[in-house]
């Protein structure tokens, strides 16, 4: 064991030594991945129901209507510029190109913006509005698979490229060939541009509920669409008229080339760019094309059909304003009449165009009439409802044989309510709104008017908000009894406009009547406040102590019994001494009681004062009589005393007693006569007063629940 001792000791010392530091190999750095923004992805995604998108949709709708107006102007490029030739108007070409390019920029901006507009996932529309998808890649894929092709076709500036780059590069192109190509391109691009309006209208209606904010704007919008259709139809009719004239020239040229005419008719001669060529001048002197295709002569065999009007009235050779207005009138007339006055030829294109006019006119005119009728009826729908309601009320009153004066009062109330509300049920509108919005609306409508009531001016904003939230409007016509004395009081009325008469007979007592006028800022029905502030009010409503009648048309706010009870229970600050004094001061019921109380106290004071004055006068008269009779009795009794004897003293005493008793009786009679004379004198100078019956003190609200005065 001893041999192993040092080894064990060294081993233990080795374990006691501090451990050597352990060097962990460094970990490789974790790569941090930064999601770099892709260049083609938008930095901001827009809400399809937001204000920015809604404003843009309205602006883009206007730009689409302008573009639909500009595109048919390309049909006016070609005109008859000389004898038997057509050419392109350079002024119209440049002007239309500029405006068309500006309109194309709006289409391009709309195409780019649709890559930034989020959409609602179809799977999330089970409840509520749905969840917005804001991922740029998903938005782009959805747009590329959907409306991108139509938007791109409507955006491309194909007519500008064709006019300024393609056609000048083709040396063999004529004006008519250029016109055909351009017209075809414009017509093909007009279809997607027209198609874009319908989903755009649907998005605006879906987001805002209406396309036009007013009925007149909606009617004007539908009329504008009808005018645009007339504008496009008139421009197309102008283009087909020139095409029909050109077809006649080509037909006659073909006939002349089959004869022995010295100069051959070349189709390039029909372009005004060849007017100065000698060959064309020689052909023009010998050809009969001009005479055979003259629509104004009436000798031509070629049937121009519905296009003869543009040729006979020289529309194809006139100024731009003349031919535009004439073609617009032609399109508007035939759309409105469904093409009934058109006399067509057997040409297939002309017949097809007439059929198109009839169908489009029927659809558009019925659409215009229907929409305009809807919009214009929405203006007078409230008025029509009021007329029907008024007629029903009049028929009911005649059926029930109501008295004429009562019928007049009912009609006056219906008329006054229409003038005040215009047939709008304000309570139903407010009930359909959230609580916070309803509170703000009530505060906006009622707070300034409620503060005009002095009793409410003593309250703080929180208490006023609670009262304003429960106020309802009340309208009363002239000579309407709002409440009668003895009837239950179910609402407290605060006058905003008009005058009321409040009267009382103190429960029907004979000889008592009190009447006051209530003006804007006053209130009535204060018995209800007393009832609401009671700690445990009864189920029955309090009875009115006054009769309230409207002297003029009255607009007021009413606070119903259950609402007033709720406010009184919720807000303990209503139980305040300060409000108690304000209630007593502004309550006409308390004012009447106070006036009667003061008057009765004053009369009692005057009565006591008069009695005191009479008693003072009685004592003065008595003392004067006693002073006058005293010396005489002493002088008369002296001889009896001087004579001596016991009997003489008794006799003297009895005589003095009789004299004092007689003096007292005389003084009393004199005092009565004096009092009667004083009363008669007072009644001569003042009318006879009738004793005022006692007026019961009004019930006082219970303000004892709180001792707070700091409202």
């Amino acid at each position: 064991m001893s041999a192993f001792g040092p080894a064990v000791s060294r081993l233990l010392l080795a374990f006691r030594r501090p451990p050597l530091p352990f060097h962990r190999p460094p970990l490789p750095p974790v790569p941090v991945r930064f999601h770099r923004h892709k260049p083609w992805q938008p930095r901001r995604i827009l809400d399809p129901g937001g204000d920015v998108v809604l404003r843009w949709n309205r602006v883009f709708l206007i730009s689409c209507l302008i573009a639909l107006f500009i595109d048919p102007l390309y049909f006016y490029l070609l005109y008859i510029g000389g004898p038997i030739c057509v050419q392109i108007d350079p002024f119209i070409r440049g002007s239309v190109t500029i405006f068309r390019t500006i309109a194309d920029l709006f289409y391009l901006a709309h195409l780019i913006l649709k890559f930034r507009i989020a959409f609602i996932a179809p799977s999330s529309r089970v409840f509520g509005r749905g969840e917005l998808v804001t991922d740029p890649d998903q938005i782009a894929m959805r747009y590329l698979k959907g409306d991108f092709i139509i938007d791109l076709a409507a955006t491309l500036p194909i007519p500008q490229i064709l006019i300024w780059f393609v056609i000048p590069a083709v040396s063999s192109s004529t004006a008519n060939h250029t016109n055909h190509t351009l017209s075809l391109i414009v017509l093909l691009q007009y279809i997607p541009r027209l198609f874009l309006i319908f989903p755009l209208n649907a998005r605006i209606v879906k987001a805002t509920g209406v396309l036009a904010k007013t009925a007149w704007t909606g009617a004007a919008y539908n009329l504008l669409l009808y005018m645009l259709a007339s504008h496009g139809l008139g421009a197309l009719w102008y283009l087909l008229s020139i095409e029909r004239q050109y077809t006649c020239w080509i037909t006659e040229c073909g006939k002349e080339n089959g004869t022995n005419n010295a100069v051959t008719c070349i189709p390039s001669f029909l372009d005004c760019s060849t007017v100065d060529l000698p060959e064309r001048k020689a052909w023009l002197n010998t050809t009969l094309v001009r005479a055979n295709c003259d629509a104004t002569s009436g000798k031509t065999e070629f049937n121009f059909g519905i296009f003869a009007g543009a040729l006979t009235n020289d529309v194809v050779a006139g100024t731009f304003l003349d031919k535009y207005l004439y073609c617009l009138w032609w399109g508007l007339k035939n759309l409105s009449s469904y093409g009934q006055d058109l006399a067509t030829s057997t040409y297939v294109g002309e017949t097809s165009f007439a059929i198109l006019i009839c169908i489009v006119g029927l659809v558009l005119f019925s659409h215009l009439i229907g929409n305009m009728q809807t919009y214009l009826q929405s203006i007078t729908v409230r008025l029509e409802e009021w007329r029907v309601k008024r007629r029903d009320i009049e028929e009911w009153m005649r059926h029930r044989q109501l008295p004429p004066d009562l019928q007049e009062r009912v009609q006056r109330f219906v008329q006054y309510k229409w003038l005040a509300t215009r047939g709008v049920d304000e309570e139903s509108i407010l009930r359909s709104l959230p609580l916070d919005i309803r509170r703000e609306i009530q505060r906006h409508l009622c707070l300034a008017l409620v503060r005009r009531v002095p009793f409410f001016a003593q309250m703080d904003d929180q208490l006023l908000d609670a009262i304003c939230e429960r106020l309802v409007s009340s309208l009363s016509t002239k000579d309407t009894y709002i409440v009668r004395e003895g009837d239950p009081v179910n609402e407290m009325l605060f006058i905003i406009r008009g005058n009321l008469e409040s009267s009382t007979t103190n429960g029907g007592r004979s000889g008592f009547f009190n009447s006051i006028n209530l003006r804007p800022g006053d209130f009535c029905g204060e018995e209800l406040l007393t009832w609401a502030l009671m700690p445990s009010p009864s189920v029955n409503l309090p009875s009115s102590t006054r009769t309230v009648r409207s002297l003029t048309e009255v607009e007021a706010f009413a606070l119903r019994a259950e609402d007033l009870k709720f406010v009184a229970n919720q807000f303990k600050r209503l139980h305040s001494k300060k409000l108690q004094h304000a209630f007593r001061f502004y309550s006409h019921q308390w004012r009447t009681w106070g006036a009667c109380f003061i008057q009765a106290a004053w009369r009692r004071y005057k009565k006591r004062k008069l009695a005191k004055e009479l008693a003072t006068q009685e004592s003065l008269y008595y003392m004067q009589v006693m002073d006058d009779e005293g010396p005489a009795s002493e002088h008369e009794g002296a001889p009896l005393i001087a004579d001596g004897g016991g009997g003489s003293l008794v006799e003297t005493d009895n005589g003095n007693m009789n004299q004092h008793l007689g003096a007292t009786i005389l003084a009393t009679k004199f005092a009565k006569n004096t009092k009667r004379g004083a009363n008669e004198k007072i009644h001569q100078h003042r009318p006879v007063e009738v004793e005022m019956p006692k007026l019961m003190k009004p019930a006082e609200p219970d303000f004892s629940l709180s001792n707070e005065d700091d409202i």
Side-chain angles (χ1 to χ4, degrees):
M1 292 296 293
S2 61
F4 291 100
V8 172
S9 299
R10 287 193 297 269
L11 183 61
L12 292 175
L13 290 175
F15 276 105
R16 288 178 182 176
R17 292 175 183 174
L20 297 175
F22 178 75
H23 297 284
R24 179 180 295 175
L27 296 175
V30 179
V32 180
R33 296 182 179 180
F34 295 98
H35 296 279
R36 298 184 61 184
H37 181 76
K38 298 178 182 179
W40 61 83
Q41 289 183 346
R43 295 182 180 273
R44 180 185 176 188
I45 302 299
L46 301 177
D47 185 1
D51 294 337
V52 176
V53 178
L54 291 178
R55 291 195 190 98
W56 170 252
N57 286 338
R58 294 185 182 278
V59 171
F60 184 63
L61 177 62
I62 297 174
S63 66
C64 288
L65 296 177
I66 295 175
L68 292 178
F69 172 79
I70 293 174
D71 284 352
L73 296 179
Y74 279 111
F75 299 156
Y76 294 101
L77 285 178
L78 208 63
Y79 73 101
I80 298 178
I84 319 179
C85 69
V86 293
Q87 67 177 4
I88 295 177
D89 190 345
F91 173 76
I92 297 178
R93 180 177 61 179
S95 302
V96 174
T97 301
I98 294 173
F99 290 110
R100 166 70 190 244
T101 305
I102 296 174
D104 290 343
L105 293 178
F106 282 91
Y107 282 95
L108 180 62
H110 183 69
L111 187 142
I112 297 173
L113 188 65
K114 292 189 77 171
F115 282 101
R116 300 171 177 263
I117 300 177
F119 66 93
I120 299 176
S123 59
S124 64
R125 293 178 179 175
V126 179
F127 178 77
R129 179 187 177 188
E131 183 180 357
L132 283 178
V133 178
T134 58
D135 186 14
D137 294 334
Q138 295 185 20
I139 294 173
M141 290 301 298
R142 182 175 181 270
Y143 180 47
L144 291 174
K145 293 179 181 179
D147 302 333
F148 177 74
I149 300 300
I150 297 177
D151 293 342
L152 182 63
T155 305
L156 294 176
I158 300 177
Q160 297 94 305
I161 297 174
L162 188 65
I163 290 177
W164 295 97
F165 299 102
V166 177
I167 293 176
V170 180
S171 58
S172 61
S173 63
T174 60
N176 188 67
H177 181 266
T178 301
N179 185 57
H180 286 174
T181 306
L182 182 62
S183 301
L184 181 62
I185 295 298
V186 170
L187 283 175
L188 292 178
Q189 200 173 21
Y190 199 80
I191 296 174
R193 292 198 168 194
L194 183 62
F195 177 77
L196 282 179
I197 291 184
F198 300 104
L200 188 60
N201 286 342
R203 283 195 295 270
I204 294 176
V205 172
K206 184 178 180 180
T208 60
V210 290
L211 182 63
K213 294 183 179 180
T214 62
W216 288 108
T217 307
Y221 174 73
N222 284 274
L223 182 60
L224 180 62
L225 293 180
Y226 192 77
M227 295 296 294
L228 278 177
S230 303
H231 160 67
L233 189 64
L236 187 59
W237 174 71
Y238 174 84
L239 175 66
L240 294 178
S241 299
I242 292 185
E243 172 63 24
R244 198 62 176 156
Q245 179 70 71
Y246 194 85
T247 302
C248 181
W249 290 341
I250 291 294
T251 303
E252 293 298 327
C253 281
K255 292 180 181 180
E256 284 188 356
N257 291 336
T259 60
N260 295 327
N261 194 359
V263 182
T264 305
C265 179
I266 304 174
S268 60
F269 289 167
L270 303 179
D271 194 337
C272 290
S273 60
T274 61
V275 172
D276 297 332
L277 294 179
E279 302 89 34
R280 188 182 187 282
K281 292 180 180 180
W283 169 77
L284 187 61
N285 293 329
T286 59
T287 184
L288 297 176
V289 173
R290 184 174 184 178
N292 294 335
C293 293
D294 188 5
T296 60
S297 63
K299 299 179 181 180
T300 179
E301 297 179 357
F302 192 86
N303 189 0
F304 290 97
I306 62 176
F307 308 108
L311 302 174
T312 56
N313 295 320
D314 204 18
V315 176
V316 293
T319 62
F320 171 74
L321 185 61
D322 294 338
K323 59 187 177 183
Y324 171 74
L325 292 178
Y326 187 87
C327 294
L328 178 63
W329 169 82
W330 188 91
L332 186 61
K333 180 189 70 172
N334 287 281
L335 272 183
S336 303
S337 62
Y338 315 135
Q340 295 180 1
D341 298 334
L342 297 179
T344 62
S345 63
T346 57
Y347 177 53
V348 177
E350 182 181 350
T351 308
S352 302
F353 182 65
I355 294 174
L356 178 66
I357 292 174
C358 184
I359 296 175
V360 173
L362 180 62
V363 173
L364 291 181
F365 192 74
S366 59
H367 181 268
L368 171 69
I369 296 300
N371 286 346
M372 289 195 68
Q373 184 179 6
T374 301
Y375 280 109
L376 295 180
Q377 280 183 350
S378 64
I379 301 176
T380 59
V381 61
R382 296 290 182 186
L383 182 60
E384 189 63 27
E385 290 178 357
W386 173 72
R387 287 176 180 173
V388 173
K389 183 178 180 180
R390 184 176 179 179
R391 184 185 60 191
D392 294 342
I393 292 174
E394 291 176 354
E395 292 180 356
W396 174 80
M397 289 189 298
R398 286 195 298 267
H399 176 68
R400 296 299 181 184
Q401 298 180 0
L402 297 183
D405 56 341
L406 188 56
Q407 292 186 18
E408 183 181 357
R409 290 178 58 188
V410 172
Q411 293 174 358
R412 190 165 63 244
F413 174 77
V414 173
Q415 176 74 18
Y416 180 63
K417 188 174 182 180
W418 163 256
L419 294 176
T421 62
R422 289 295 174 182
V424 178
D425 190 359
E426 297 178 355
E427 293 187 10
S428 63
I429 294 176
L430 292 175
R431 283 195 301 266
S432 63
L433 296 175
L435 179 61
D436 183 56
I437 299 178
R438 185 166 65 244
R439 185 182 294 114
E440 291 295 328
I441 293 176
Q442 289 287 84
R443 179 183 178 89
H444 171 73
L445 295 176
C446 306
L447 186 60
L449 298 174
V450 165
R451 286 188 183 275
R452 291 164 51 184
V453 180
F455 178 64
F456 284 152
Q458 308 292 331
M459 301 180 183
D460 60 356
D461 291 339
Q462 187 177 6
L463 187 56
L464 287 179
D465 288 341
I467 292 176
C468 289
E469 185 180 351
R470 289 162 177 82
L471 288 177
V472 294
S473 61
S474 176
L475 303 175
S476 301
T477 56
K478 185 179 179 181
D479 296 330
T480 299
Y481 284 89
I482 298 175
V483 65
R484 297 179 184 270
E485 188 174 356
D487 292 345
V489 183
N490 55 8
E491 62 183 10
M492 197 172 178
L493 209 63
F494 303 93
I495 306 171
I496 304 302
R497 298 182 185 90
N499 295 323
L500 295 174
E501 180 191 29
S502 177
S503 60
T504 180
T505 59
N506 194 21
R509 285 189 174 186
S510 60
F512 182 87
F513 180 79
N514 174 261
S515 177
I516 55 175
N517 288 338
L518 303 180
R519 297 177 177 83
D522 296 333
F523 58 90
C524 61
E526 54 267 31
E527 300 91 349
L528 200 62
L529 181 61
T530 304
W531 171 82
L533 291 177
M534 293 174 63
S536 56
S538 60
V539 179
N540 298 328
L541 294 175
S543 299
S544 176
T545 59
R546 307 187 71 87
T547 298
V548 181
R549 182 176 64 92
S550 59
L551 300 177
T552 60
E553 295 176 345
V554 177
E555 297 181 14
F557 284 122
L559 190 61
R560 294 168 181 168
E562 58 273 11
D563 296 329
L564 184 59
K565 183 63 179 176
F566 174 81
V567 174
N569 292 336
Q570 294 295 322
F571 295 90
K572 299 301 181 182
R573 283 165 295 181
L574 195 61
H575 305 269
S576 170
K577 294 296 182 182
K578 193 173 183 179
L579 284 182
Q580 175 187 9
H581 298 318
F583 174 77
R584 288 180 176 179
F585 182 77
Y586 293 109
S587 173
H588 288 279
Q589 185 178 359
W590 273 85
R591 286 185 177 185
T592 303
W593 178 84
C596 294
F597 182 82
I598 293 173
Q599 189 176 10
W602 173 253
R603 290 184 177 183
R604 288 195 300 270
Y605 168 75
K606 294 291 292 183
K607 186 176 181 180
R608 288 196 300 268
K609 184 178 179 181
L610 182 60
K612 185 177 180 181
E613 291 178 354
L614 292 176
T616 304
Q617 292 178 3
E618 285 184 8
S619 61
L620 290 176
Y621 281 116
Y622 177 76
M623 293 175 62
Q624 184 178 2
V625 170
M626 293 299 295
D627 292 340
D628 293 339
E629 293 180 355
S633 61
E634 292 178 357
H635 180 71
E636 293 176 355
L640 294 176
I641 295 174
D643 290 341
S648 61
L649 180 61
V650 175
E651 184 180 356
T652 304
D653 292 338
N654 292 333
N656 291 334
M657 187 180 299
N658 293 331
Q659 290 177 358
H660 286 295
L661 182 60
T664 303
I665 294 172
L666 291 175
T668 304
K669 292 181 179 181
F670 181 78
K672 289 182 179 180
N673 295 331
T674 305
K675 183 177 179 181
R676 186 182 299 110
N679 289 335
E680 291 177 357
K681 184 176 181 181
I682 292 174
H683 285 292
Q684 288 176 359
H685 296 281
R686 187 175 59 184
V688 179
E689 295 183 358
V690 180
E691 183 181 358
M692 182 176 180
K694 294 182 179 180
L695 181 67
M696 296 298 295
K697 181 180 178 181
E700 183 176 357
D702 186 4
F703 293 97
S704 62
L705 296 183
S706 176
N707 295 324
E708 298 178 1
D709 286 344
D710 51 347
I711 289 185

